Amino acid sequence: MDRVKNTSVSRFIYSVLLNVAILLISILVFIPFFEENDDTHIAMIAEGAYGNREWHLIYENVILGKLYSFLYSIFSNVRWHTVLQYAFIFLAYVSVTYVISKHKHGITLSLIAVLATFYELYVSLQYTKTAAFLCGAGILLFYEFVRDGAFLAKNKTSVLAEAGKNLKVERAFYLVFGFIYIVYGTMLRPEGLLFALVPLCFIGLLELVRTRQILLYLVAFVPTAIVLTGVIFINNSAYKNNSEWAEFMDYNKARMQLTDYRYDILYYPDNGEKLKEIGVSENDALIIVTYQFGDDNIITTDYMKNISDTFGKKPFTFKVIRMLWGNILEEIGRVSVELPVLICLVALLISVIIVERSRSNSEYITDATRKFYTMIGMGIICSAAIIYFQYSGRWSHRLVAALFIPTIFGICYMLDGGIDSKEGQKIIFGGNFRDRSMLILGLSLAVSIGFNVYNYTENIKEYNNVRDEYNLGKNELKHISEDKDTLYVFDTFTFQNSFKYDVFDVNRLGEFDNFVSCGSWFMNSPITKKVCDKYGYTNPYDALINNSGNAVLIDNYYPEEKALFLSEHYDRLYKSTKTGSNNGFDEYIMEQKVD
């Protein structure tokens, strides 16, 4: 019993120390950044940078939005969107490290899993990846709750049953924190739960066959499912019961369908003739696909729905496969840590299966067969998910990473032997490795360390490349925030890197209540409508064409295209006139051309 206690304490200390070290390295050695600007805008909306603290966060649950509002009302100088993600990632890391480290080589395996994923979660911060990891961690804790329950049931009369009290405390921990991680992850991004379930559902089936504890699965998952249903219902009701937000969500759904899933429609060389028939010019297509659709007088909900409906569902063609192969090669070219480590872990799993099948004990052969089919199932469903990413037009590195991260932890968890025939081995060591697996285990560790060294050099190089642009952007943003007499309309690409490294920098309440994009995923929401209305306009393009001297376009990329858009739709000819440049950012006004 003392041995069991000491093992549990030492594993807990190891889990905490490892993850404290990784967290400090991520923050102090690497330079954390937002992988996409989505996190930036969610944080700014919650902080009230655009005028008022808003709990309608569009992609995050309103309950989480209200939590942000409450925390900002108490501590306004903390970027809670970031801090909460870091806090939950850290806790989840400690939890799954503790669980995986139960078996003989679990210390090394848990180290590999953390090293393979911390760059994606701590350094290249993105809330979809965070949600996938948290939901995956919660699911694995539920599986461990079932495993240990099955162990206790199997060893009721054992001497090691004295350790049952400790195990019961651990099981309560697994149940409570598993629930918290899944619920928070789902509120952060509902799709995160799907990314976690894709690879981990097969491990769940494996554990169900091993333990045959259906009741314990129900105890863990049913209450969680009920709470998640309520959380989603509350979120949907919050939007449906507000007419402004309900109208915007319908608009945003049409926008997503076109710009996120069917942007291939807008490729004019392929679809120009058909687009012309429904009144979409080549410049219109460019404006929409480059997220400059902020004129909801022209680009309305029905306008976007009409384009999508005209072309119908996306056909599955050889071109989709060709593009998929190109994206896979590009993903490999990114030299991301998780993919090579995942390959090494699969090789390690195969070696363990071969070892177990070589034994004469039928129990090991049966377990090896189950692992083999589980691995095949995970491979098939992950491949199907990746193909869907390509087919739907949603392929991106963050989605691939969100799928791979739970898969890595799932495989490390599956390498544990689970309920072992040798009494007590589950608590003290668990698992069935042989030393011949050490070669691949060491290779996996070496790969994870080596690729992180490479990622560090790339992280520093990328920061140095954009540092001047970033600093100029901060100077321009400071100038904008101080000039409240002017509405600044900005191009979607012009400030692309200006917020990238503001992971922990919080914005003041109302700091950018004079700053609106020509198009974004929250464009024409009640948030941006209030900003425009404050200066007497309905949307950014209305400010450009009816400028009463208080609106400026900041645009380093598409000023002429915006002038052409206005000329094509308002029966007047417009030109973009450059009025100056500040901190490297060009300023324009729209003027009518004189015949």
Side-chain angles (χ1 to χ4, degrees), residues 492-511:
T492 52
F493 293 100
T494 297
F495 287 91
Q496 192 75 4
N497 292 317
S498 299
F499 298 97
K500 185 172 184 177
Y501 296 98
D502 294 351
V503 175
F504 294 103
D505 295 342
V506 65
N507 294 111
R508 301 188 311 274
L509 182 66
E511 184 171 358

mmCIF file of all heavy atoms in Angstrom, residues 492-511:
data_model
loop_
_atom_site.group_PDB
_atom_site.id
_atom_site.type_symbol
_atom_site.label_atom_id
_atom_site.label_comp_id
_atom_site.label_asym_id
_atom_site.label_seq_id
_atom_site.Cartn_x
_atom_site.Cartn_y
_atom_site.Cartn_z
ATOM 1 N N THR A 492 -8.894 44.020 -44.743
ATOM 2 C CA THR A 492 -8.773 42.825 -43.911
ATOM 3 C C THR A 492 -7.351 42.299 -43.805
ATOM 4 O O THR A 492 -7.011 41.614 -42.836
ATOM 5 C CB THR A 492 -9.677 41.705 -44.460
ATOM 6 O OG1 THR A 492 -9.394 41.531 -45.859
ATOM 7 C CG2 THR A 492 -11.128 42.045 -44.298
ATOM 8 N N PHE A 493 -6.491 42.584 -44.791
ATOM 9 C CA PHE A 493 -5.124 42.079 -44.763
ATOM 10 C C PHE A 493 -4.112 43.091 -44.226
ATOM 11 O O PHE A 493 -2.991 42.727 -43.883
ATOM 12 C CB PHE A 493 -4.686 41.654 -46.177
ATOM 13 C CG PHE A 493 -5.442 40.469 -46.696
ATOM 14 C CD1 PHE A 493 -6.505 40.641 -47.577
ATOM 15 C CD2 PHE A 493 -5.106 39.186 -46.309
ATOM 16 C CE1 PHE A 493 -7.220 39.552 -48.049
ATOM 17 C CE2 PHE A 493 -5.802 38.096 -46.786
ATOM 18 C CZ PHE A 493 -6.864 38.273 -47.657
ATOM 19 N N THR A 494 -4.508 44.338 -44.147
ATOM 20 C CA THR A 494 -3.556 45.403 -43.844
ATOM 21 C C THR A 494 -2.966 45.290 -42.439
ATOM 22 O O THR A 494 -1.791 45.573 -42.230
ATOM 23 C CB THR A 494 -4.224 46.768 -44.043
ATOM 24 O OG1 THR A 494 -4.585 46.904 -45.424
ATOM 25 C CG2 THR A 494 -3.281 47.902 -43.675
ATOM 26 N N PHE A 495 -3.758 44.888 -41.464
ATOM 27 C CA PHE A 495 -3.272 44.748 -40.094
ATOM 28 C C PHE A 495 -3.102 43.272 -39.707
ATOM 29 O O PHE A 495 -3.252 42.912 -38.538
ATOM 30 C CB PHE A 495 -4.218 45.445 -39.114
ATOM 31 C CG PHE A 495 -4.144 46.943 -39.164
ATOM 32 C CD1 PHE A 495 -4.987 47.655 -40.002
ATOM 33 C CD2 PHE A 495 -3.235 47.637 -38.386
ATOM 34 C CE1 PHE A 495 -4.934 49.043 -40.053
ATOM 35 C CE2 PHE A 495 -3.170 49.026 -38.433
ATOM 36 C CZ PHE A 495 -4.015 49.729 -39.265
ATOM 37 N N GLN A 496 -2.784 42.438 -40.682
ATOM 38 C CA GLN A 496 -2.750 40.994 -40.485
ATOM 39 C C GLN A 496 -1.819 40.579 -39.345
ATOM 40 O O GLN A 496 -2.135 39.668 -38.583
ATOM 41 C CB GLN A 496 -2.315 40.303 -41.786
ATOM 42 C CG GLN A 496 -2.519 38.796 -41.806
ATOM 43 C CD GLN A 496 -3.974 38.405 -41.994
ATOM 44 O OE1 GLN A 496 -4.839 39.253 -42.193
ATOM 45 N NE2 GLN A 496 -4.253 37.121 -41.915
ATOM 46 N N ASN A 497 -0.656 41.197 -39.231
ATOM 47 C CA ASN A 497 0.319 40.807 -38.207
ATOM 48 C C ASN A 497 0.387 41.763 -37.023
ATOM 49 O O ASN A 497 1.225 41.595 -36.138
ATOM 50 C CB ASN A 497 1.718 40.698 -38.839
ATOM 51 C CG ASN A 497 1.830 39.535 -39.802
ATOM 52 O OD1 ASN A 497 1.358 38.439 -39.525
ATOM 53 N ND2 ASN A 497 2.453 39.775 -40.956
ATOM 54 N N SER A 498 -0.490 42.754 -37.013
ATOM 55 C CA SER A 498 -0.384 43.794 -35.987
ATOM 56 C C SER A 498 -0.851 43.337 -34.612
ATOM 57 O O SER A 498 -0.542 43.976 -33.603
ATOM 58 C CB SER A 498 -1.173 45.032 -36.417
ATOM 59 O OG SER A 498 -0.652 45.559 -37.630
ATOM 60 N N PHE A 499 -1.623 42.254 -34.555
ATOM 61 C CA PHE A 499 -2.108 41.738 -33.270
ATOM 62 C C PHE A 499 -1.538 40.351 -32.965
ATOM 63 O O PHE A 499 -1.867 39.763 -31.943
ATOM 64 C CB PHE A 499 -3.638 41.646 -33.284
ATOM 65 C CG PHE A 499 -4.337 42.957 -33.455
ATOM 66 C CD1 PHE A 499 -4.783 43.364 -34.702
ATOM 67 C CD2 PHE A 499 -4.569 43.789 -32.369
ATOM 68 C CE1 PHE A 499 -5.446 44.581 -34.871
ATOM 69 C CE2 PHE A 499 -5.225 45.000 -32.522
ATOM 70 C CZ PHE A 499 -5.667 45.397 -33.776
ATOM 71 N N LYS A 500 -0.706 39.829 -33.852
ATOM 72 C CA LYS A 500 -0.286 38.428 -33.801
ATOM 73 C C LYS A 500 0.376 38.063 -32.479
ATOM 74 O O LYS A 500 0.148 36.977 -31.935
ATOM 75 C CB LYS A 500 0.664 38.136 -34.963
ATOM 76 C CG LYS A 500 1.069 36.684 -35.079
ATOM 77 C CD LYS A 500 1.847 36.428 -36.351
ATOM 78 C CE LYS A 500 2.168 34.960 -36.516
ATOM 79 N NZ LYS A 500 2.867 34.691 -37.806
ATOM 80 N N TYR A 501 1.203 38.926 -31.940
ATOM 81 C CA TYR A 501 1.971 38.603 -30.731
ATOM 82 C C TYR A 501 1.368 39.217 -29.471
ATOM 83 O O TYR A 501 2.001 39.220 -28.413
ATOM 84 C CB TYR A 501 3.423 39.051 -30.911
ATOM 85 C CG TYR A 501 4.116 38.286 -32.020
ATOM 86 C CD1 TYR A 501 4.224 38.833 -33.299
ATOM 87 C CD2 TYR A 501 4.624 37.016 -31.812
ATOM 88 C CE1 TYR A 501 4.836 38.129 -34.330
ATOM 89 C CE2 TYR A 501 5.233 36.301 -32.836
ATOM 90 C CZ TYR A 501 5.333 36.869 -34.090
ATOM 91 O OH TYR A 501 5.934 36.153 -35.103
ATOM 92 N N ASP A 502 0.135 39.707 -29.565
ATOM 93 C CA ASP A 502 -0.546 40.293 -28.401
ATOM 94 C C ASP A 502 -1.289 39.215 -27.611
ATOM 95 O O ASP A 502 -2.462 39.365 -27.263
ATOM 96 C CB ASP A 502 -1.533 41.372 -28.848
ATOM 97 C CG ASP A 502 -0.844 42.565 -29.463
ATOM 98 O OD1 ASP A 502 0.394 42.634 -29.386
ATOM 99 O OD2 ASP A 502 -1.539 43.410 -30.045
ATOM 100 N N VAL A 503 -0.605 38.123 -27.337
ATOM 101 C CA VAL A 503 -1.263 36.992 -26.679
ATOM 102 C C VAL A 503 -1.748 37.369 -25.285
ATOM 103 O O VAL A 503 -2.837 36.968 -24.867
ATOM 104 C CB VAL A 503 -0.297 35.782 -26.610
ATOM 105 C CG1 VAL A 503 -0.910 34.640 -25.812
ATOM 106 C CG2 VAL A 503 0.046 35.304 -28.017
ATOM 107 N N PHE A 504 -0.960 38.159 -24.572
ATOM 108 C CA PHE A 504 -1.323 38.526 -23.195
ATOM 109 C C PHE A 504 -1.669 40.007 -23.048
ATOM 110 O O PHE A 504 -2.002 40.445 -21.948
ATOM 111 C CB PHE A 504 -0.167 38.190 -22.240
ATOM 112 C CG PHE A 504 0.110 36.721 -22.127
ATOM 113 C CD1 PHE A 504 1.199 36.149 -22.777
ATOM 114 C CD2 PHE A 504 -0.720 35.894 -21.384
ATOM 115 C CE1 PHE A 504 1.458 34.799 -22.672
ATOM 116 C CE2 PHE A 504 -0.469 34.537 -21.272
ATOM 117 C CZ PHE A 504 0.620 33.979 -21.921
ATOM 118 N N ASP A 505 -1.591 40.780 -24.135
ATOM 119 C CA ASP A 505 -1.846 42.218 -24.057
ATOM 120 C C ASP A 505 -3.345 42.500 -24.150
ATOM 121 O O ASP A 505 -3.985 42.169 -25.150
ATOM 122 C CB ASP A 505 -1.115 42.955 -25.180
ATOM 123 C CG ASP A 505 0.391 42.850 -25.050
ATOM 124 O OD1 ASP A 505 0.867 42.524 -23.945
ATOM 125 O OD2 ASP A 505 1.096 43.074 -26.045
ATOM 126 N N VAL A 506 -3.887 43.120 -23.146
ATOM 127 C CA VAL A 506 -5.316 43.389 -23.097
ATOM 128 C C VAL A 506 -5.601 44.781 -23.671
ATOM 129 O O VAL A 506 -4.788 45.702 -23.547
ATOM 130 C CB VAL A 506 -5.835 43.276 -21.646
ATOM 131 C CG1 VAL A 506 -5.228 44.347 -20.769
ATOM 132 C CG2 VAL A 506 -7.350 43.315 -21.592
ATOM 133 N N ASN A 507 -6.744 44.935 -24.318
ATOM 134 C CA ASN A 507 -7.167 46.236 -24.842
ATOM 135 C C ASN A 507 -8.062 46.951 -23.852
ATOM 136 O O ASN A 507 -8.828 46.324 -23.112
ATOM 137 C CB ASN A 507 -7.921 46.059 -26.167
ATOM 138 C CG ASN A 507 -7.035 45.539 -27.274
ATOM 139 O OD1 ASN A 507 -7.185 44.408 -27.728
ATOM 140 N ND2 ASN A 507 -6.099 46.346 -27.726
ATOM 141 N N ARG A 508 -7.995 48.260 -23.867
ATOM 142 C CA ARG A 508 -8.841 49.060 -22.983
ATOM 143 C C ARG A 508 -10.283 49.056 -23.481
ATOM 144 O O ARG A 508 -10.548 48.885 -24.663
ATOM 145 C CB ARG A 508 -8.335 50.503 -22.918
ATOM 146 C CG ARG A 508 -6.901 50.662 -22.430
ATOM 147 C CD ARG A 508 -6.562 52.132 -22.219
ATOM 148 N NE ARG A 508 -6.930 52.954 -23.366
ATOM 149 C CZ ARG A 508 -6.151 53.132 -24.419
ATOM 150 N NH1 ARG A 508 -4.966 52.530 -24.504
ATOM 151 N NH2 ARG A 508 -6.540 53.915 -25.415
ATOM 152 N N LEU A 509 -11.191 49.266 -22.561
ATOM 153 C CA LEU A 509 -12.603 49.382 -22.908
ATOM 154 C C LEU A 509 -12.796 50.566 -23.853
ATOM 155 O O LEU A 509 -12.434 51.694 -23.530
ATOM 156 C CB LEU A 509 -13.435 49.568 -21.634
ATOM 157 C CG LEU A 509 -14.955 49.649 -21.815
ATOM 158 C CD1 LEU A 509 -15.497 48.320 -22.316
ATOM 159 C CD2 LEU A 509 -15.636 50.018 -20.491
ATOM 160 N N GLY A 510 -13.341 50.314 -25.054
ATOM 161 C CA GLY A 510 -13.594 51.367 -26.030
ATOM 162 C C GLY A 510 -12.367 51.835 -26.780
ATOM 163 O O GLY A 510 -12.434 52.843 -27.498
ATOM 164 N N GLU A 511 -11.257 51.121 -26.657
ATOM 165 C CA GLU A 511 -10.008 51.566 -27.292
ATOM 166 C C GLU A 511 -10.146 51.675 -28.805
ATOM 167 O O GLU A 511 -9.593 52.581 -29.422
ATOM 168 C CB GLU A 511 -8.867 50.603 -26.938
ATOM 169 C CG GLU A 511 -7.515 51.038 -27.476
ATOM 170 C CD GLU A 511 -6.366 50.202 -26.940
ATOM 171 O OE1 GLU A 511 -6.620 49.287 -26.114
ATOM 172 O OE2 GLU A 511 -5.212 50.464 -27.340
#
